[in-house]
Each structure stands twice: as C-alpha cells, then as structure tokens.
C-alpha cells in the first residue's frame, strides 16, 4: 500500500522565510500562488513581457517579474507554464541563474522524465502534482478542503528535498486530502494515461459517441445532451462520494443490469486500446509526437480542437446550460 501523507505528517517549516517563484499564472499557477500566499509563504510570479495573465496576477496582489528576474529572487522555482514551453524557459531564464541554493519544482514530470530539462546535479528537483484541475485546487483550498497530490523527488542534493516537497504540498492544501509519494516516471506515465484514456480523452469520446448515436437515430439533441453529458456528472458525483457500488445502490435495477451486461461489452472493446495507449506513453512515442507537433506549429492539435468546438453537442449544451445558471456560477478565469 502506498504511504499517504496528511497535514499532521508535514510541516511548512522548510518554506518559511523562503521565496517561491511561480512561473506562469494559468490554471495551476494562480491556484498555487494564491494558496501558498494564504499559507503564509512569500510568492512572486514570473511572466514574460506582454503576458496575457500578467494583469490577473497583479490584480491578485502579486509582484510580477520577468521569469529570469523572478528566478534570481527565488529559492524555489515552480514551473507552472504549459509543459511545451518549459524547456525554452529553462534554457533562457532559469539555467543561467541556478546554483545549489535554489530548488526546481514541477507539477507534472513530463520534461524531467523525457529529459527535455536536465538540471545540474547540485540542485534539488521535486514535484508536487495535484490530481485535479487548477481551479479546483484553489476553490477547494478556499473551502478548507484540498485536492490530493503526488510528490516525487528527482534529485535530493540538500538531503531535505522531500521535506520541501511535503511543505509545498501542505501549503497548497493537498495534505488535507492526501499526498502520495511517487517517482517522476510513475507520475508522468500514469498522468498521461489517465487524461488520455479515462479523464479527458475517454470521457469525451464516450459522451460524443453516445450523443451522436442517439441523434443519428433521430432522437432530439436536447434529450441526448441530458442523457449523455449532463447526467454524467450526477452519476460521477455518486461514484466520487460512494464508489461504484454506492452509485449502483442509487440507480434502478434495470440500469444496474444494463450497466453490468452492456458495460462489459464496452469494457472488452476498450481495455486492449487502453493498453496500446499506455505502451505508446511508456515507449516515449506520445512524448515524441507531441514535441514534434509543437515544433510544427500544432496543425493537428488545432484542427482537432476546432472540429470538436463546432460539434453539435456544444451548441445544444450552451443553450441548455443558460437555463441552469447555477451550473456555471464560478467563472473559469
Ligand atoms: N491544468 C491543470 O489543471 C494541471 C496541470 N498540471 C501541470 O501544471 C503545469 C501548468 O499547466 P497549466 O496550469 O495547465 O498551464 P496553463 O496553460 O494554464 O498556463 C498558462 C500560463 O503560462 C504562461 N506562459 C505561457 N508561455 C509562457 C512563457 N513562455 N513564459 C512564461 N509564462 C508563460 C501563460 O501566460 P499567458 O497568459 O501570457 O499566456 C499563463 O500564465 C503543467 O506542467 C501541467 O502539466 C498538473 C496538474 C493539473
Ligand atoms: C487536470 C489534470 O490533472 C491533467 C488532466 O493531468 C492535466 O491538466 O494535465
Ligand atoms: Mg493529471
Ligand atoms: Mg496532465
């Protein structure tokens, strides 16, 4: 069984009196910066000139510097820009100013694991990877709760790297929910696998396939939307709170029978595909493809996103969500 760390297992002490430079102020960046500050840690934000999120960081009361300047001022440098730009930021704005008094931190292991960033041996390198979207990392913290996270140490130059990682995890609220120690390899491969096959790719594929099947068979789009998208959250909420068995307690026997018999057929079809996707990740094929796609200016990525943006489910969804304003009461800034 994995060792799980909670609030009482971690102390903020390694971060007291230190400065954390948060590079990037997007989904994770704003959440980490605000949570760290609310936990009493000194935070500065690093963003390039002309950054769109600079105004938001300033409005939130942070001192914002060019990344290179933020790195020079900081003891701990947390990379919270998109993974794809981190190697360039590292080369230009971090590496020249690194010394053994500074630590590098990541929220995802991609660039270290796939060796897009290779730090000098005398700096501490750790990861605190929340297992949830950045906005939830902030909202949960504000409610006195937390999003679970993984911590990992890639290089322990100081002998105290794990304590720093746990302190950071505590300061963003993760130890309230539970923090598991892992490796950069395990976090990177499982995170990519999860988002590709279950959380993002898998779920959106199921939703779209279900919605399309119903409308192609002549059913009303509104009915298909409620059935295949809206109700998904209600079912997932039950699974989240009570487990799969708990969810099944709440649904009808007819639904349960369909679930275990028809669900089994979907399962048989999907599991070999999931294995295939995992192998692509483990062999570095996905990473290579994604790095090349970025170098080419993201043609496939942009085209596929645009295709889905125009999907009929978005049009009907927008109208139906307008009638349920409580659903989107919080703005995704
Ligand atoms: N999204 C999530 O919830 C999760 C993300 N992670 C990991 O966290 C990290 C951050 O991801 P995420 O929060 O999604 O990132 P975002 O895409 O939300 O980050 C965007 C931020 O990075 C800034 N930025 C973009 N390019 C540069 C640059 N060249 N130099 C400095 N800043 C730049 C953007 O500025 P501007 O506004 O100017 O574009 C913006 O502030 C990644 O490693 C990711 O894998 C881990 C767990 C979950
Ligand atoms: C939100 C999260 O954990 C993801 C899906 O791994 C990510 O945004 O990279
Ligand atoms: Mg993830
Ligand atoms: Mg991820």
């Amino acid at each position: 069984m994995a060792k799980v760390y909670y609030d009482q297992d971690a102390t903020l002490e390694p971060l007291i009196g230190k400065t954390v430079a948060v590079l990037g102020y997007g989904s994770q960046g704003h959440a980490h910066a605000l949570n760290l500050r609310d936990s009493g840690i000194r935070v500065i934000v690093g963003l390039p000139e002309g950054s769109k999120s600079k105004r938001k960081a300033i409005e939130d009361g942070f001192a914002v510097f060019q990344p290179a300047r933020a790195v020079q001022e900081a003891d701990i440098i947390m990379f919270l820009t998109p993974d794809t730009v981190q190697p360039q930021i590292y080369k230009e704005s971090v590496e020249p100013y690194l010394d053994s008094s500074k630590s590098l931190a990541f929220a995802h292991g991609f660039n270290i694991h796939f060796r897009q960033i290779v730090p000098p041996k005398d700096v501490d390198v750790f990861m605190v990877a929340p297992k949830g979207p950045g906005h939830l990392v902030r909202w949960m913290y504000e409610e006195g709760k937390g999003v679970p996270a993984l911590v990992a140490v890639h290089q322990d130059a100081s002998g105290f790297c794990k304590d720093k990682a746990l302190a950071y995890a505590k300061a963003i609220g993760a130890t309230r929910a539970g923090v598991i120690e892992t490796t950069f390899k395990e976090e990177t491969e499982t995170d990519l696998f999860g988002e590709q096959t279950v959380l993002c790719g898998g779920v959106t594929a199921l939703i779209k396939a279900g919605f399309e099947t119903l409308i192609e068979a002549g059913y009303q789009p509104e009915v298909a939307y409620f059935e295949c998208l809206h109700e998904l959250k209600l079912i997932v909420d039950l699974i989240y709170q009570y487990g799969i068995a708990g969810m099944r307690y709440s649904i009808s026997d007819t639904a349960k029978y369909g679930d275990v018999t028809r669900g089994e057929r979907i399962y048989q079809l999907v599991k070999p595909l999931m294995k295939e996707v995992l192998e692509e990740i483990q062999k570095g094929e996905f990473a290579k493809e994604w790095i090349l796609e970025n170098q080419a200016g993201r043609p496939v990525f942009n085209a596929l996103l645009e295709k889905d943006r125009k999907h009929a489910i978005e049009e009907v969804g927008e109208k139906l969500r307008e009638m349920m304003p409580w659903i989107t009461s919080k703005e995704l800034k």
Side-chain angles (χ1 to χ4, degrees), residues 46-93:
L47 285 170
E49 205 51 62
S51 162
K52 292 189 292 297
S53 34
K54 194 169 169 181
R55 196 172 47 89
K56 205 165 34 155
I58 292 171
E59 274 170 15
D60 287 341
F62 289 106
V64 181
F65 302 104
Q66 294 280 343
R69 168 89 194 283
V71 167
Q72 289 170 73
E73 299 264 319
D75 302 292
I76 288 149
I77 297 126
M78 176 48 123
F79 282 87
L80 293 175
T81 68
D83 296 301
T84 46
V85 300
Q86 290 177 11
Q88 197 197 341
I89 298 173
Y90 177 76
K91 271 280 158 233
E92 289 172 2
S93 308

Side-chain angles (χ1 to χ4, degrees), residues 28 107-108 129-133 187 190-192 194-195 199-200:
Q28 290 290 326
H108 177 41
K131 292 287 97 187
E187 186 278 337
T190 55
D191 188 77
L192 294 174
E195 67 202 20
L199 306 174
C200 310

Side-chain angles (χ1 to χ4, degrees), residues 28 32 78-80 104-109 126-131 147-153 161-162 164-175 179-180 184 187:
Q28 290 290 326
H32 290 226
M78 176 48 123
F79 282 87
L80 293 175
L104 296 182
F106 294 85
H108 177 41
F126 67 86
M127 167 167 49
V128 178
K131 292 287 97 187
V147 168
L150 302 183
V151 296
V153 169
C161 191
K162 191 170 132 188
K164 281 183 209 168
L166 286 173
Y168 191 102
K170 182 171 185 162
I172 64 168
T175 44
V179 167
I180 300 176
F184 273 62
E187 186 278 337

Side-chain angles (χ1 to χ4, degrees), residues 127-192:
M127 167 167 49
V128 178
K131 292 287 97 187
H135 295 87
L136 271 300
V137 172
R138 179 57 184 162
W139 297 341
M140 297 283 259
Y141 181 93
E142 284 177 309
E143 288 170 17
K145 304 170 190 160
V147 168
L150 302 183
V151 296
V153 169
H154 175 63
Q155 281 181 190
D156 184 10
S158 68
F160 301 104
C161 191
K162 191 170 132 188
D163 298 332
K164 281 183 209 168
L166 286 173
Y168 191 102
K170 182 171 185 162
I172 64 168
T175 44
R176 294 171 180 171
V179 167
I180 300 176
E181 195 174 348
T182 181
T183 58
F184 273 62
K185 175 178 158 61
E186 184 177 62
E187 186 278 337
T188 304
E189 292 174 354
T190 55
D191 188 77
L192 294 174

